[in-house]
Amino acid sequence: LLLAFAAVGLAGAALFVLLARSLRAAERSYEDVRVANADAQLAREQLEDAIESIEEGFVLYDRDERIVIANRTYKAFYPTIADIAVPGTRLEAILRTSAARGQYQDIADVDAWTRERLEQHRRPGKPILQRLSEGRMLRISDHRTRSGGIVSVRTDITDMVEAESLLLKRLAAIEVAPDGIAI
């Protein structure tokens, strides 16, 4: 009987040691997860700060064409849809709402324009130019991510387009000017 009690006591002690080790391992694992989560949160905040600091409009779409993040500049370029340019909104909804709210110039057929713009988005290549209703000109560059999403950058090229137009007008005036002009 004494031997049985000793065996039970020894088994209980061994079980206690195993439980204590498991508890310490679980505490270490919990702490590792907590630190990893804190590191991930810090990295996300730094990335969001970096995206907000750039002068270009930035929007990231996931593989299902839903907004993941859009910076303030993007929303400033498209004030008519700033309220819906939030995570989860699909690109098609952005395009249709923008057109319906008068964001773009010269869209005769919204369905055809939306299809064309979605196709351009899905097959990124050369940058496209987009004239907004207030006259601003944007260059849109789309780039596919490794996960199948699209990074889209909008650059305001209005000043450059206006300078080019002015230069072309001046060159045309020089061509018809009388002899004696030197550049």
Side-chain angles (χ1 to χ4, degrees), residues 23-151:
L23 183 58
R24 281 192 296 273
E27 287 172 349
R28 281 193 306 272
S29 293
Y30 174 77
E31 181 61 17
D32 290 346
V33 168
R34 192 190 66 71
V35 168
N37 282 339
D39 289 347
Q41 180 63 29
L42 177 62
R44 180 175 177 86
E45 289 170 3
Q46 290 172 331
L47 183 58
E48 287 174 354
D49 288 346
I51 289 169
E52 285 297 338
S53 73
I54 61 176
E55 293 179 12
E56 288 76 20
F58 177 95
V59 61
L60 171 63
Y61 295 95
D62 66 13
R63 70 176 51 219
D64 297 319
E65 298 176 344
R66 292 178 303 219
I67 291 179
V68 175
I69 187 170
N71 71 0
R72 278 182 283 238
T73 307
Y74 174 86
K75 293 174 184 179
F77 285 160
Y78 303 104
T80 64
I81 53 94
D83 61 318
I84 65 167
V86 296
T89 305
R90 291 191 178 276
L91 174 60
E92 184 171 355
I94 293 284
L95 295 171
R96 289 186 180 284
T97 303
S98 296
R101 293 179 180 177
Q103 182 70 65
Y104 309 109
Q105 286 184 357
D106 304 326
I107 297 179
D109 182 346
V110 172
D111 290 332
W113 177 82
T114 301
R115 279 191 306 276
E116 179 184 345
R117 186 61 191 98
L118 285 171
E119 190 61 32
Q120 290 168 331
H121 174 83
R122 291 171 182 154
R123 290 198 168 93
K126 296 183 347 181
I128 64 169
L129 299 180
Q130 182 178 72
R131 185 167 299 279
L132 303 180
S133 58
E134 82 277 359
R136 188 181 323 201
M137 179 69 80
L138 301 181
R139 188 182 96 215
I140 301 174
S141 298
D142 292 337
H143 307 277
R144 189 156 303 279
T145 67
R146 287 181 281 191
S147 64
I150 299 281
V151 170

Side-chain angles (χ1 to χ4, degrees), residues 154-172:
R154 268 92 168 142
T155 305
D156 187 342
I157 60 168
T158 307
D159 292 341
M160 185 174 68
V161 169
E162 289 172 357
E164 180 183 30
S165 176
L166 181 60
L167 178 62
L168 290 174
K169 286 177 186 175
R170 287 183 178 170
L171 288 174

